[in-house]
Amino acid sequence: MKVHHFHEYWPNHSHRVALAAALLLLLPAFSPNLFAPLGRAFPSIFSEWNAPKSMHFHLFKAALQHPISVQQQRSLWSPLAHQGWRPCLDVEEPKDVPSLSLKKSKGYIQVFLDGGLNQQKMGICDAVAVAKILNATLVIPHLDVNPVWQDSSSFAEIFDVDHFISVLRDEVSIVKELPGELSWSTREYYATGIRATRIKTAPVHASADWYLENVLPVLQSYGVVAIAPFSHRLTFNNLPLNIQRLRCKVNFQALDFVPHIKELGETLVHRLRFPSSENQILGTEHVQEGNNEVKMQGAGKYVVLHLRFDKDMAAHSACDFGGGKAEKLALAKYRQVLWQGRVLNSQFTDNELRNQGRCPLTPEEIGLLLAALGFSNSTRLYLASHKVYGGEARISALRKLFPLMEDKKGLSSSEERERVEGKASLLAAVDYFVSMHSDIFISASPGNMHNALVGHRALLNLKTIRPNMGLLSQLFLNKSMEWSEFQQAVLNGHKSRQGQIRLRKEKQSIYTYPAPDCMCPS
């Protein structure tokens, strides 16, 4: 009788490894529910397997070789001419309103703010305005932990509290915490049940009258009121001028970052403007030889690019980004994990979405835009981003166009970043500081950071380039377009998108369009 050994029926080690790998790849497709929790906890485990391919190779190749004139560089780097507007942040009280010292506060207001740094900033400004409307004392706002950013930083860890209170002392009464008899009013207290002192029904863009009719009675009855949710809970329309200017005063003067954020920001700005000889040698290794006069136009200057291209944005857009089938499957799985497949524009094809200008610009596309605008490969480019989808493989095309591209990690040591590392809001605050001190700011796609910096830089008449998404979508869909035609179309389409003052229209944000509410003709 023949004896069969076990190894005759079971594959050898290499076969077993191959079989296990195949099962690992196939299981998510057949049992997505099994892997949903893993995808949420470790979103990179079943991620992209192929590096993205160039979607515009013809233009990219031309961009690497395109010549730039001295005249184009002068125009690009020259500051904006005075536009006839200046900041007006002094809050003038109506003549029939008594001064703050003569008023008696009607109670304390608490707000709990969600979102990233710039959404929280807007909420803080609105909270001050609501406290003013109600003649209430504002408790330093509580910043909730955002499920996306996962940052537990408090107001005092981001903003200078004493400066905040001091700047606004003549406008609104502000305290760091509730008095002892009201110390029961906490975030935990409101999370465990329905409370009479919590307002959950504040509509988006509520009017001043809504707060007077619905919040003031609660404030007068209990001496304290908590408003949550509070994001975007105050209108931009039909408010007195003193309230509008107060909101701008909070945003542009009172909200100052804590010293260690500013110190790190100043260090980064200095290293961008005055790179050391060692860094200069390392950075210019791949910079092409060219006209020295062209290089001199950008000497000591830098541009900040907010590359808003994270995985959430890529997944939510339902667009194709050159990663092939593997990327499409990975993004589809990610959508299923985060939004149970609910992506409003997923019924459109990629071409339809691009025709509508609804696809965020990839690093390659924003690089082509910058090159067409006249930025040379000797430009010092600071990358302000949370986390770029696809990592270095995705950024490589941009880095080939701009080899002097820098970020926080490349410009500073781990010791210098110790107090901000791993904290999304603090890292965003550093990027905000560096962006505000740049010669030019450009954001790859609209968002809260883009909107906040557009408004702040408009107030100070600083150059800010806003990509024309509709135009760029059409240009990138034309695969036969030559570089000269592409460049001319980009230049023509961005002449009036470089920081020119745009007056706020109805329903638009005062934080993005500070004129005319918070600026005066000069």
Side-chain angles (χ1 to χ4, degrees):
M1 182 177 179
K2 185 177 179 180
V3 177
H4 295 277
H5 294 283
F6 181 78
H7 62 77
E8 290 180 327
Y9 295 96
W10 189 247
N12 62 30
H13 178 72
S14 60
H15 290 160
R16 291 199 301 272
V17 170
L19 183 61
L23 284 172
L24 184 62
L25 293 176
L26 292 172
L27 273 174
F30 291 111
S31 303
N33 292 333
L34 177 65
F35 287 84
L38 276 175
R40 183 181 293 274
F42 304 101
S44 62
I45 289 179
F46 305 106
S47 187
E48 298 67 40
W49 301 294
N50 298 335
K53 297 178 181 178
S54 171
M55 298 178 71
H56 314 284
F57 182 74
H58 180 63
L59 287 176
F60 182 77
K61 185 177 178 182
L64 287 171
Q65 303 167 347
H66 76 285
I68 298 174
S69 69
V70 175
Q71 182 180 1
Q72 189 177 10
Q73 284 285 285
R74 284 176 181 159
S75 173
L76 179 65
W77 288 108
S78 62
L80 286 174
H82 181 62
Q83 299 184 65
W85 291 87
R86 61 179 175 82
C88 278
L89 304 181
D90 292 333
V91 180
E92 296 181 7
E93 294 289 356
K95 293 180 180 179
D96 58 344
V97 175
S99 67
L100 183 63
S101 60
L102 298 177
K103 296 178 183 177
K104 187 178 186 305
S105 172
K106 293 186 171 69
Y108 295 88
I109 283 187
Q110 295 174 284
V111 295
F112 306 114
L113 300 175
D114 193 9
L117 173 72
N118 292 291
Q119 186 174 330
Q120 289 171 339
K121 281 182 66 180
M122 291 185 284
I124 293 165
C125 299
D126 289 350
V128 173
V130 168
K132 180 76 169 181
I133 290 167
L134 299 177
N135 185 26
T137 296
L138 177 67
V139 182
I140 291 293
H142 175 92
L143 308 185
D144 284 337
V145 179
N146 182 272
V148 174
W149 305 113
Q150 291 294 317
D151 190 339
S152 59
S153 299
S154 67
F155 185 105
E157 290 175 292
I158 305 172
F159 304 107
D160 186 329
V161 175
D162 292 333
H163 175 83
F164 179 75
I165 294 173
S166 175
V167 169
L168 300 171
R169 65 180 180 274
D170 295 330
E171 322 294 347
V172 178
S173 173
I174 303 174
V175 295
K176 295 180 181 179
E177 56 186 27
L178 288 168
E181 65 271 18
L182 296 174
S183 60
W184 49 264
S185 183
T186 64
R187 190 71 177 100
E188 293 71 27
Y189 171 74
Y190 294 109
T192 55
I194 298 173
R195 311 295 184 185
T197 52
R198 178 183 176 182
I199 303 293
K200 296 179 66 176
T201 55
V204 174
H205 298 155
S207 67
D209 285 342
W210 187 91
Y211 281 97
L212 291 168
E213 293 167 7
N214 296 276
V215 180
L216 184 57
V218 178
L219 192 65
Q220 291 172 325
S221 296
Y222 296 94
V224 64
V225 64
I227 311 174
F230 190 70
S231 181
H232 308 295
R233 286 325 197 260
L234 181 62
T235 183
F236 291 114
N237 301 318
N238 303 316
L239 287 175
L241 182 60
N242 69 313
I243 297 297
Q244 297 287 63
R245 288 196 176 168
L246 175 60
R247 295 164 95 176
C248 285
K249 185 173 184 176
V250 179
N251 194 36
F252 302 127
Q253 281 187 0
L255 286 174
D256 198 25
F257 296 127
V258 293
H260 70 85
I261 289 177
K262 293 165 66 176
E263 287 168 11
L264 178 55
E266 287 166 356
T267 297
L268 300 181
V269 170
H270 181 81
R271 290 173 185 170
L272 284 163
R273 294 205 183 282
F274 309 103
S276 66
S277 56
E278 180 183 357
N279 288 343
Q280 188 69 31
I281 291 169
L282 290 172
T284 57
E285 183 180 352
H286 302 291
V287 175
Q288 302 165 1
E289 291 298 324
N291 189 327
N292 285 332
E293 196 172 348
V294 168
K295 291 182 180 179
M296 286 303 295
Q297 295 300 319
K301 300 174 182 176
Y302 71 95
V303 57
V304 169
L305 168 61
H306 181 227
L307 189 54
R308 191 167 179 256
F309 196 77
D310 54 43
K311 191 164 187 174
D312 288 329
M313 189 169 188
H316 204 267
S317 69
C319 300
D320 178 23
F321 300 108
K325 290 183 178 179
E327 180 179 86
K328 289 180 181 178
L329 287 171
L331 290 178
K333 177 180 67 63
Y334 192 69
R335 288 185 202 110
Q336 186 64 37
V337 169
L338 290 186
W339 305 294
Q340 287 74 51
R342 294 191 302 271
V343 177
L344 294 179
N345 55 20
S346 59
Q347 70 268 29
F348 297 105
T349 66
D350 183 71
N351 272 12
E352 288 171 336
L353 291 171
R354 292 189 179 279
N355 266 315
Q356 298 165 23
R358 294 168 71 176
C359 293
L361 296 176
T362 66
E364 178 189 27
E365 289 169 341
I366 196 71
L368 292 171
L369 169 62
L370 291 171
L373 288 169
F375 290 100
S376 73
N377 74 334
S378 61
T379 298
R380 297 200 71 82
L381 177 66
Y382 178 85
L383 198 61
S385 288
H386 174 56
K387 191 174 183 180
V388 177
Y389 169 58
E392 186 57 37
R394 183 77 65 179
I395 301 174
S396 60
L398 179 62
R399 196 179 299 281
K400 286 178 183 176
L401 289 169
F402 300 99
L404 299 188
M405 187 168 69
E406 302 278 10
D407 58 18
K408 290 180 289 293
K409 287 188 176 180
L411 283 172
S412 60
S413 67
S414 56
E415 290 77 17
E416 289 172 317
R417 298 191 308 274
E418 186 177 8
R419 297 179 69 178
V420 302
E421 202 69 86
K423 299 177 181 178
S425 293
L426 302 189
L427 292 168
V430 173
D431 282 340
Y432 191 99
F433 184 94
V434 176
S435 299
M436 278 305 301
H437 288 77
S438 67
D439 299 277
I440 304 172
F441 173 80
I442 180 169
S443 182
S445 301
N448 287 328
M449 178 94 162
H450 165 93
N451 294 339
L453 281 159
V454 163
H456 202 162
R457 290 177 67 89
L459 189 87
L460 302 178
N461 200 43
L462 300 174
K463 185 169 281 191
T464 306
I465 299 175
R466 296 181 300 112
N468 187 331
M469 301 295 284
L471 168 68
L472 291 169
S473 297
Q474 298 303 313
L475 296 181
F476 286 131
L477 282 171
N478 186 344
K479 300 301 181 181
S480 62
M481 181 173 284
E482 295 297 324
W483 176 258
S484 58
E485 186 184 357
F486 174 79
Q487 184 177 37
Q488 195 56 54
V490 166
L491 290 171
N492 291 339
H494 290 82
K495 284 181 180 177
S496 61
R497 302 177 70 88
Q498 302 194 26
Q500 290 84 352
I501 290 289
R502 293 178 296 160
L503 300 184
R504 188 178 72 86
K505 298 176 182 177
E506 188 176 5
K507 295 184 179 180
Q508 287 183 329
S509 169
I510 199 171
Y511 309 119
T512 309
Y513 306 97
D517 304 76
C518 301
M519 300 183 75
C520 301
S522 60

